[in-house]
Amino acid sequence: GEILAMTNAPSFDPSNYNEYSDWKRRNRVLTDTYEPGSTIKSIIVSILLEEKLARGNEWVNVENGVYRRRGALIRDTHKFERLTVQGVLEQSSNVGISKLSDRIPEDLFYKYLRDFGFGNKTKIDLSGEAEGNLKKPDTYSMVSKSSMSYGYEIGVTPLQMITAFAALVNGGSLL
């Protein structure tokens, strides 16, 4: 769980600190939040598998890449009629992960994302860390959970994302 190296670009010369703007001096790994997009799908599939809400070889109708959910249009970049859960992850299907996320109760969905470190500081021994943005279930719109399942309506820092993936690959321990 130790960070051995970290870098930001553009960089600055610490010996001439005052010659650089705040934007150049900040540690973007800790401070900048972004919508993680498809990189969060692995986290969502892990929740489904852990809770036995899906099986890797189970088939999902992915609607040939276009699906209307509660007024929102969800699209995939590739047209498939159906994919296994594993295929949903391999092909990065927004339609598939959206449909699968419906199986996760909202409170459990939120709890798992919090447990993976989203919406929390990692407590790294560096100043300026952002918490990111994780909506609470009582603020979800009709499509929030679906959107979050493929990486929208959630804000994470690069450090939070790498910490979550470290937990994913090391058996579930958030370091």
Side-chain angles (χ1 to χ4, degrees), residues 81-130:
E81 183 178 326
R82 50 189 216 137
L83 293 167
T84 62
V85 171
Q86 180 178 335
V88 166
L89 190 55
E90 290 172 348
Q91 298 299 323
S92 194
S93 172
N94 293 341
V95 172
I97 202 70
S98 173
K99 285 183 161 192
L100 288 166
S101 73
D102 283 343
R103 300 177 184 183
I104 308 169
E106 288 181 352
D107 288 342
L108 189 63
F109 187 79
Y110 175 79
K111 179 192 176 307
Y112 265 98
L113 291 177
R114 288 291 291 203
D115 289 351
F116 270 105
F118 301 118
N120 293 310
K121 293 181 179 181
T122 64
K123 298 188 175 92
I124 190 170
D125 193 20
L126 294 170
S127 62
E129 184 177 9

Side-chain angles (χ1 to χ4, degrees), residues 1-141:
E2 293 180 9
I3 296 174
L4 303 178
M6 183 184 310
T7 187
N8 286 277
S11 187
F12 71 95
D13 179 358
S15 62
N16 296 313
Y17 186 85
N18 292 333
E19 294 178 15
Y20 297 89
S21 68
D22 290 343
W23 185 83
K24 282 191 176 182
R25 291 191 315 248
R26 78 175 187 271
N27 188 342
R28 286 175 276 301
V29 174
L30 305 175
T31 62
D32 289 13
T33 60
Y34 66 100
E35 290 180 314
S38 292
T39 59
I40 204 162
K41 289 175 184 164
S42 297
I43 305 296
I44 304 305
V45 169
S46 78
I47 298 167
L48 290 157
L49 296 175
E50 179 70 21
E51 291 295 321
K52 298 180 178 29
L53 298 171
R55 296 177 325 278
N57 62 354
E58 175 185 347
W59 289 96
V60 179
N61 178 356
V62 293
E63 313 284 343
N64 288 313
V66 180
Y67 178 58
R68 185 166 298 282
R69 176 173 167 67
R70 298 182 176 157
L73 191 60
I74 301 169
R75 292 185 180 271
D76 286 340
T77 57
H78 300 86
K79 293 182 179 184
F80 293 98
E81 183 178 326
R82 50 189 216 137
L83 293 167
T84 62
V85 171
Q86 180 178 335
V88 166
L89 190 55
E90 290 172 348
Q91 298 299 323
S92 194
S93 172
N94 293 341
V95 172
I97 202 70
S98 173
K99 285 183 161 192
L100 288 166
S101 73
D102 283 343
R103 300 177 184 183
I104 308 169
E106 288 181 352
D107 288 342
L108 189 63
F109 187 79
Y110 175 79
K111 179 192 176 307
Y112 265 98
L113 291 177
R114 288 291 291 203
D115 289 351
F116 270 105
F118 301 118
N120 293 310
K121 293 181 179 181
T122 64
K123 298 188 175 92
I124 190 170
D125 193 20
L126 294 170
S127 62
E129 184 177 9
E131 289 182 351
N133 181 25
L134 177 62
K135 291 180 172 187
K136 292 184 178 176
D138 62 352
T139 66
Y140 288 179
S141 73

Side-chain angles (χ1 to χ4, degrees), residues 155-170:
V156 304
T157 65
L159 183 61
Q160 286 173 332
M161 202 68 208
I162 194 130
T163 301
F165 266 90
L168 186 67
V169 299
N170 77 16

